[in-house]
Amino acid sequence: QRGRNAVLRFLDERDPMNANAKWFNIFKANTEILESALYAQLPKPAVSRRFTDYNDEVGRVAALIIERCITQDLDDPRDNFDACMRHAVQDRLVAGLAAAWLRLETDTEEISVPPTPGNDIEYGEDDTDNPAHPDYKAPVKITEQRICVDYIYWSDFLWSPCRVWEERRWVGRKAYMTREELIERFGEDKGKACPLNYNPVYEGEQSKSVTPKEDVLKKAVVYEIWDRTTKKVIWYCKGCLALLDEREDPLGLVGFDPCPRPMLANVSSSNSIPRPDFYMIQDQYNELDIINDRISKLVQACKVVGVYDKSSEGVQRMLQEGSDNLLIPVDNWAMFAEKNGLKGQVDWLPLESITTTLRELNQAREVIKGQIYELTGIADIVRGASKASETLGAQQIKAQFASVRIKKLQDEVARFASDIMRIKAEIMVKHFDPEILIQKSNILVTG
């Protein structure tokens, strides 16, 4: 719920009761500044040996092959690494949770076996290698293998309740599948037994949901759970009586999980549930909105307006016509003068109290903005703001302060990207056909 509220605040999706309020959405501006500071371009993968022994040519060439294969994948549009990283960084800064998932895809084709004399007549009961056998399966050849990096929406990533991430018992994700995809993946019986129960709108949020509402395809929510205690992978759908599928560890990874450790915001050693950064300084954000709304209303009220004597037509003409060097005649000048002239006919709305309040509110708004920048660690030097009166030392102090606060987030993003690369390299080593590794790396033409 906190994550959804933070996303709504980021997108400025407010209640209809506050639709006319003038908010100061500095939360979105700060998030965009941090996004640029945390991830700007594709990283350059580096694979090296743990021990750089002089005679270890096998290790050196193996590291070079894996490094080239990973670099080759970054340019593949099916890899989605760059898009995944950009979405993950935004999820970390807004909702407080960012996750990714890696999948191995293998393309195969059947190898035609030429018939031999007699093999279409005689075969044993267990002779399934004979093309004439009813259970014969033609041999297949691996044509291509790839590792896809899937972005996981922050609310679709699941893990067991635990104090710290290392104590988790299982990790999982939600997958949304159509009826055709269910039948292709789990078979016709189980595919048709799954209810298409996916609802993109949360209960009670029909008016301000941030997820698509008009999805024409009905889908089922399938839970893919990787159980670390039994080393099994389970596919399950609520409303289906039986498990859709259950397999032993399909990848054999050292860490078992096919996903890097997620980026979690503001967690402690007592609970691994993240809390969005917005909630850490929500009082300042809300106070800034209140002050900005008051300033907007006072600005609307700060205008030249007054009342005048209805019987004095010349006063009305003077304000409405507004022509330069124009003399407006006044009937019965003596009576007009007895009423103290123009001053006695017009009374203006006093603006002194409004302008004084506006000045105080503007100062208060700047103070609250300074508190937000101090709490978020976004100094003026990061936002590109500066004053001519500031010295070089002041600029250096701001730059150093900002780098210290942001460096922790930068290290976390770098760790997240490195974990994705490490898992990808491990899957390549354990499951890729050697010919595909040679082809991807182009190692045979290396001088």
Side-chain angles (χ1 to χ4, degrees):
Q1 182 63 43
R2 287 194 296 262
R4 291 197 292 271
N5 291 340
V7 174
L8 290 171
R9 186 64 178 84
F10 176 76
L11 298 176
D12 200 8
E13 291 285 346
R14 61 187 76 178
D15 288 330
M17 301 295 295
N18 297 325
N20 296 325
K22 307 299 182 181
W23 283 1
F24 197 101
N25 197 355
I26 197 174
F27 173 58
K28 184 178 187 302
N30 290 345
T31 301
E32 291 177 345
I33 292 173
L34 288 175
E35 283 183 26
S36 302
L38 296 179
Y39 183 81
Q41 60 185 0
L42 280 172
K44 295 181 179 180
V47 181
S48 60
R49 296 170 290 167
R50 183 182 296 273
F51 305 107
T52 56
D53 297 330
Y54 181 75
N55 295 325
D56 187 12
E57 288 296 321
V58 175
R60 182 186 65 83
V61 175
L64 183 60
I65 291 175
I66 297 302
E67 181 176 320
R68 288 187 168 197
C69 289
I70 295 178
T71 305
Q72 181 76 9
D73 278 354
L74 293 181
D75 297 330
D76 192 340
R78 297 169 296 184
D79 183 75
N80 297 327
F81 175 81
D82 184 63
C84 176
M85 286 299 302
R86 296 186 184 278
H87 298 327
V89 169
Q90 186 180 99
D91 282 353
R92 164 59 183 83
L93 296 175
V94 178
L97 168 64
W101 203 274
L102 284 83
R103 292 182 295 107
L104 172 63
E105 291 186 352
T106 302
D107 296 337
T108 60
E109 63 179 11
E110 294 185 357
I111 301 176
S112 60
V113 179
T116 58
N119 64 359
D120 57 343
I121 300 176
E122 297 179 359
Y123 55 85
E125 184 178 350
D126 298 330
D127 191 11
T128 56
D129 294 336
N130 194 317
H133 196 281
D135 297 332
Y136 169 77
K137 292 183 179 180
V140 296
K141 175 185 177 181
I142 296 177
T143 58
E144 185 181 1
Q145 288 179 295
R146 56 190 170 273
I147 300 172
C148 299
V149 181
D150 292 339
Y151 158 72
I152 304 299
Y153 186 62
W154 58 269
S155 64
D156 294 339
F157 186 76
L158 312 168
W159 67 96
S160 65
C162 55
R163 294 174 297 181
V164 293
W165 177 253
E166 290 73 21
E167 293 181 353
R168 68 195 182 283
R169 293 178 289 105
W170 53 265
V171 295
R173 67 165 179 168
K174 297 178 184 178
Y176 305 100
M177 307 176 67
T178 61
R179 182 70 70 191
E180 292 76 13
E181 294 171 341
L182 289 168
I183 294 175
E184 181 181 359
R185 171 61 180 85
F186 304 109
E188 187 172 358
D189 294 338
K190 293 182 178 180
K192 292 183 177 180
C194 295
L196 304 180
N197 53 4
Y198 169 58
N199 183 15
V201 182
Y202 291 102
E203 184 178 356
E205 293 189 354
Q206 284 76 8
S207 60
K208 54 176 182 176
S209 175
V210 296
T211 53
K213 304 177 184 179
E214 294 80 13
D215 194 350
V216 297
L217 298 178
K218 293 185 177 181
K219 300 179 181 180
V221 183
V222 177
Y223 294 84
E224 180 181 345
I225 302 173
W226 289 61
D227 190 356
R228 297 173 58 86
T229 57
T230 60
K231 300 296 181 181
K232 291 184 179 181
V233 185
I234 300 169
W235 285 265
Y236 170 72
C237 179
K238 291 182 179 180
C240 189
L241 299 179
L243 294 178
L244 297 179
D245 196 3
E246 182 178 0
R247 295 184 182 181
E248 298 293 336
D249 186 4
L251 295 178
L253 301 176
V254 173
F256 181 70
D257 302 334
C259 58
R261 177 165 59 89
M263 291 189 286
L264 305 175
N266 306 306
V267 294
S268 65
S269 58
S270 59
N271 198 341
S272 63
I273 299 298
R275 182 181 290 265
D277 293 335
F278 173 79
Y279 275 81
M280 297 290 98
I281 49 177
Q282 59 178 329
D283 293 337
Q284 283 73 23
Y285 282 127
N286 295 333
E287 188 175 358
L288 183 63
D289 291 339
I290 294 174
I291 290 181
N292 194 76
D293 186 46
R294 290 178 180 175
I295 290 176
S296 300
K297 292 178 180 178
L298 286 177
V299 168
Q300 295 177 0
C302 188
K303 54 187 177 181
V304 179
V305 64
V307 295
Y308 72 97
D309 189 357
K310 186 177 181 180
S311 62
S312 302
E313 298 180 358
V315 176
Q316 182 181 12
R317 289 181 56 192
M318 181 179 63
L319 294 177
Q320 291 180 349
E321 295 178 4
S323 301
D324 296 334
N325 302 324
L326 176 66
L327 292 177
I328 299 176
V330 177
D331 296 333
N332 199 349
W333 176 263
M335 184 178 297
F336 183 78
E338 288 180 1
K339 295 181 180 180
N340 199 15
L342 185 62
K343 295 182 180 179
Q345 307 296 319
V346 180
D347 191 10
W348 301 102
L349 175 69
L351 299 179
E352 292 80 6
S353 58
I354 297 178
T355 55
T356 302
T357 305
L358 269 175
R359 185 164 50 251
E360 296 295 330
L361 287 177
N362 282 317
Q363 293 179 359
R365 182 169 63 179
E366 295 300 320
V367 171
I368 296 176
K369 287 168 60 179
Q371 293 177 356
I372 293 175
Y373 293 143
E374 182 178 354
L375 293 172
T376 56
I378 302 180
D380 291 340
I381 196 69
V382 178
R383 296 183 291 111
S386 180
K387 297 180 181 179
S389 59
E390 289 185 341
T391 62
L392 176 62
Q395 297 283 6
Q396 292 175 346
I397 291 174
K398 287 183 177 182
Q400 182 180 3
F401 172 78
S403 63
V404 170
R405 296 292 300 271
I406 297 177
K407 188 177 185 303
K408 183 179 180 181
L409 278 175
Q410 290 175 335
D411 293 342
E412 180 70 3
V413 173
R415 191 273 313 163
F416 185 77
S418 298
D419 285 352
I420 293 177
M421 300 292 186
R422 177 185 53 80
I423 297 175
K424 176 177 288 193
E426 188 177 355
I427 295 176
M428 286 181 176
V429 171
K430 293 184 175 180
H431 298 280
F432 269 34
D433 189 88
E435 294 183 0
I436 293 180
L437 289 176
I438 293 174
Q439 179 183 0
K440 277 180 172 291
S441 62
N442 201 25
I443 196 66
L444 294 181
V445 299
T446 304

